[in-house]
Amino acid sequence: MTAASTIDELVDDLYLQRGRAWQAALVTAQNFLETIADEILDNVDRDRLNAGTARIKDPARAADKLRRKIAEGRIAPPTDVDDVVDALGDLIGIKVLCKSPRDLHAFVDALEAACHDPDCSVRFAREPMDYVEFPKPNGYRAYHAILLVRVATHQGDLDVKVEVQVKTRLQDAWGELTHEDMYKPGEPLKASKKHVDRARQMAELLLQVDLMADELAAQLDSQTAVSNDPVAEPTLVPKDPEIISARVTRTGPRYALAVGPDGRRGLIPARSVKAVIGVKDRIAVDDYLEVGDEVRVVVEDSEDALYYHLSSQPPSRRSRRRRRRAEQDA
């Protein structure tokens, strides 16, 4: 029996023995990461953090990587399935895509706090690698962590390693733009100095775009922020208000967008909804406004935004039902 066939058999045995446990660990790890994201965003634009990209490495690719590590002298030939697991830390992987660098940093801080908490069932297998703070020479940026997820099996509890990569969307796009996978060890292309320099330049340009997006997001936050001060009452209605009818085109926790009769789109902030419904506690705008609602609004055309402040109560359930029936009959 050749060494190659021995490795293939070991990998096949490993997948057969632990595939079910890996699937359970993958689901547990994704739920863990999504819970962290929920706590960070607190019902605000959930799309800013997404842990939906996940995979279990193809067995043939796992065997190829194992052989490559042996050929390069990085590991000794494995003799059992545990040796294979020890040699490969990325058999199970999850990618967390973040809308901006500030979302990435917030997620990383929360992940580290959770995994260092003695009461947390998920912990780090080893200290994470922060390629965001310390990029690779070619410009690669991401935060890498390997989680240990405990799974119950018929043979007892099993600690499963799950690799997590946290990136901004532009950091992830960089890999596609530079064809990074083609230049990894064992892949067909060898990176020249020109390729590395150009890839690093592209990474720096995308970093600047990421930072600019952060500034824009911070500006949006300041314009749609909801005060938690129960005493503060914002002045919503300007002098000589213009009242128009507008149709809601988008809703979210902190604001809605609506289009007026002249085609201009205005921002309905949470504070405006709070004022008309008469509450002082924090609210989610999409609990009160739906896409398609027709609302009467006061127009405030300020230097920083076009605001539409509600001048009356949001539509009732009854009026929404009438609207839906009319749409169906049309």
Side-chain angles (χ1 to χ4, degrees):
M1 183 180 294
T2 65
S5 63
T6 301
I7 287 175
D8 286 333
E9 290 182 358
L10 277 175
V11 169
D12 288 342
D13 286 345
L14 173 63
Y15 277 66
L16 184 63
Q17 292 177 24
R18 303 192 182 177
R20 203 177 285 269
W22 288 352
Q23 289 287 354
L26 188 60
V27 171
T28 299
Q30 279 190 291
N31 288 338
F32 172 69
L33 298 172
E34 293 284 0
T35 299
I36 291 175
D38 287 338
E39 292 175 351
I40 292 171
L41 297 177
D42 191 22
N43 200 34
V44 176
D45 194 4
R46 189 58 183 76
D47 191 49
R48 280 167 49 181
L49 294 169
N50 188 313
T53 303
R55 59 102 182 104
I56 294 176
K57 187 183 285 289
D58 178 75
R61 291 190 63 190
D64 288 342
K65 187 170 184 178
L66 204 58
R67 280 190 281 268
R68 185 166 67 246
K69 284 191 168 187
I70 295 170
E72 294 170 351
R74 290 191 283 164
I75 61 170
T79 59
D80 56 33
V81 294
D82 289 327
D83 288 345
V84 176
V85 172
D86 290 340
L88 302 176
D90 62 347
L91 288 168
I92 308 167
I94 299 174
K95 185 188 297 182
V96 180
L97 292 181
C98 309
K99 196 168 185 178
S100 67
R102 65 176 182 151
D103 289 333
L104 183 149
H105 292 306
F107 186 87
V108 166
D109 289 345
L111 176 64
E112 292 187 345
C115 290
H116 287 132
D117 186 336
D119 295 328
C120 183
S121 61
V122 178
R123 61 191 189 279
F124 289 134
R126 58 173 181 263
E127 280 304 301
M129 303 293 291
D130 190 349
Y131 298 117
V132 177
E133 187 70 23
F134 304 100
K136 291 184 178 181
N138 65 351
Y140 176 84
R141 286 175 167 84
Y143 177 91
H144 287 204
I146 295 181
L147 307 181
L148 281 180
V149 180
R150 182 154 295 183
V151 177
T153 73
H154 69 284
Q155 294 179 327
D157 289 345
L158 177 68
D159 284 332
V160 178
K161 291 189 289 187
V162 178
E163 183 191 52
V164 176
Q165 296 181 5
V166 187
K167 305 176 178 181
T168 68
R169 293 174 186 173
L170 289 182
Q171 288 167 355
D172 187 54
W174 173 90
E176 297 292 331
L177 294 171
T178 60
H179 305 290
E180 185 202 17
D181 284 345
M182 299 291 285
Y183 294 92
K184 286 183 176 179
E187 300 300 340
L189 300 180
K190 296 180 180 179
S192 65
K193 182 179 183 302
K194 180 179 179 180
H195 175 273
V196 173
D197 289 343
R198 190 59 57 88
R200 185 171 55 248
Q201 292 169 6
M202 291 170 65
E204 291 298 326
L205 289 171
L206 291 174
L207 173 62
Q208 295 307 310
V209 177
D210 255 342
L211 296 176
M212 291 167 66
D214 254 357
E215 291 181 9
L216 289 175
Q219 180 182 1
L220 177 62
D221 281 351
S222 67
Q223 291 174 250
T224 60
V226 181
S227 172
N228 290 322
D229 181 0
V231 178
E233 287 291 346
T235 300
L236 299 178
V237 182
K239 287 184 177 181
D240 302 320
E242 177 189 0
I243 299 179
I244 62 171
S245 179
R247 176 174 49 84
V248 176
T249 59
R250 177 180 171 183
T251 62
R254 289 184 302 175
Y255 62 88
L257 293 176
V259 62
D262 59 359
R264 292 197 303 167
R265 189 171 299 189
L267 189 73
I268 304 176
R271 64 180 186 272
S272 171
V273 180
K274 287 171 62 175
V276 297
I277 64 176
V279 302
K280 296 181 179 178
D281 296 329
R282 187 169 187 164
I283 66 164
V285 172
D286 48 7
D287 285 342
Y288 297 89
L289 293 175
E290 293 183 1
V291 172
D293 283 348
E294 292 288 339
V295 291
R296 298 289 291 173
V297 296
V298 174
V299 178
E300 180 191 356
D301 198 349
S302 69
E303 291 183 359
D304 60 359
L306 176 63
Y307 290 105
Y308 288 166
H309 300 298
L310 294 185
S311 63
S312 59
Q313 290 285 325
S316 65
R317 288 191 178 94
R318 179 179 297 178
S319 64
R320 287 197 179 105
R321 284 197 297 268
R322 284 200 301 266
R323 172 172 59 82
R324 293 191 184 107
R325 282 198 298 266
E327 291 172 351
Q328 292 170 357
D329 294 339

